[in-house]
Amino acid sequence: MALFLDIHPQNPQPRTVRQVVDALCDGALIAYPTSSGFALGCALGNAEGKERMVRIRHLDAKHDFTLVCEDFAQLGQLVQLNNAAFRAIKASTPGPYTFILPATAEVPRKLVHPKKKTVGVRLDDHPIARAIVAELGEPLLSTSLILPDQDEPFTYGWAVKDALDHEVDIVIDADEVEPRPTSVIDYTDAAPTVVRVGAGDVARFEG
């Protein structure tokens, strides 16, 4: 059964956040709130955690996993940014965006898209997500918690526990979170391509 942890949505309790991070370091797969609904997350080197995410979501090899970063400096170590991308992304984060960019050698090869050599990166603005990544000290490997028969991520921790009690190790409850999908911007080529229009304003990435 998954451990169910209640964390304050605006002022996460440091002791409980530390408990979550200790579990991540021990190989746990967590379900946690973000600014765009619940997500699954595990430590970067947790190959089993990644496979569990694949099984839960029925993902294929073309899926771009997301690395949730603590800050822009950490993000910049993982992806290649030209000047235009640097300015646009820095001005938009943290916020409801996922950026697909060419990966650097800092990203484990198994996390990079096999053909495009890209990875998704995100600076989330939910206090709990930010607290977890800050305490972890490295990016969190993540994917939105959308089950195969759903169109949107979960919005309540209790609903995640009901559905995935034996599939994840920790479920974090933090009141309701809105199922607002992130806007996805692809910087694989020199000019950005808006792949999905979500909660974030995409005007600066168009044209």
Side-chain angles (χ1 to χ4, degrees):
M1 293 177 60
L3 179 63
F4 193 64
L5 295 177
D6 187 8
I7 298 182
H8 195 282
Q10 297 302 323
N11 298 292
Q13 305 94 312
R15 184 175 179 179
T16 312
V17 171
R18 181 70 247 176
Q19 183 180 357
V20 172
V21 169
D22 286 344
L24 285 167
C25 293
D26 286 338
L29 175 64
I30 69 170
Y32 70 102
T34 76
S35 59
S36 56
F38 272 78
L40 296 170
C42 69
L44 280 183
N46 187 350
E48 181 185 0
K50 178 188 173 185
E51 290 306 311
R52 290 167 69 186
M53 286 194 275
V54 169
R55 290 197 303 270
I56 289 169
R57 288 208 49 202
H58 296 187
L59 300 174
D60 59 31
K62 297 179 181 180
H63 181 75
D64 276 300
F65 281 90
T66 299
L67 303 182
V68 180
C69 301
E70 177 183 359
D71 52 29
F72 193 82
Q74 189 179 73
L75 181 151
Q77 295 175 358
L78 302 171
V79 292
Q80 300 173 32
L81 294 165
N82 60 32
N83 289 336
F86 178 93
R87 290 192 297 270
I89 294 173
K90 189 169 179 58
S92 305
T93 55
Y97 299 91
T98 299
F99 300 98
I100 300 172
L101 290 135
T104 68
E106 296 293 321
V107 181
R109 188 172 62 180
K110 291 183 178 180
L111 304 183
V112 176
H113 191 285
K115 291 185 178 180
K116 297 189 294 181
K117 308 304 180 186
T118 56
V119 69
V121 288
R122 181 176 174 186
L123 290 174
D124 194 70
D125 54 2
H126 193 289
I128 291 177
R130 291 176 63 82
I132 290 172
V133 177
E135 182 67 24
L136 184 61
E138 67 177 25
L140 184 68
L141 179 64
S142 187
T143 185
S144 297
L145 183 39
I146 305 173
L147 297 183
D149 59 348
Q150 294 178 327
D151 296 322
E152 295 182 335
F154 283 91
T155 58
Y156 288 100
W158 60 263
V160 176
K161 183 160 171 61
D162 282 351
L164 299 175
D165 200 18
H166 298 284
E167 302 290 336
V168 301
D169 301 303
I170 293 177
V171 176
I172 297 172
D173 191 37
D175 295 336
E176 181 182 14
V177 290
E178 294 186 39
R180 306 177 303 160
T182 60
S183 292
V184 179
I185 315 298
D186 190 337
Y187 270 100
T188 302
D189 298 318
T193 300
V194 177
V195 177
R196 180 178 70 200
V197 177
D201 183 4
V202 299
R204 73 171 69 245
F205 303 105
E206 294 178 320

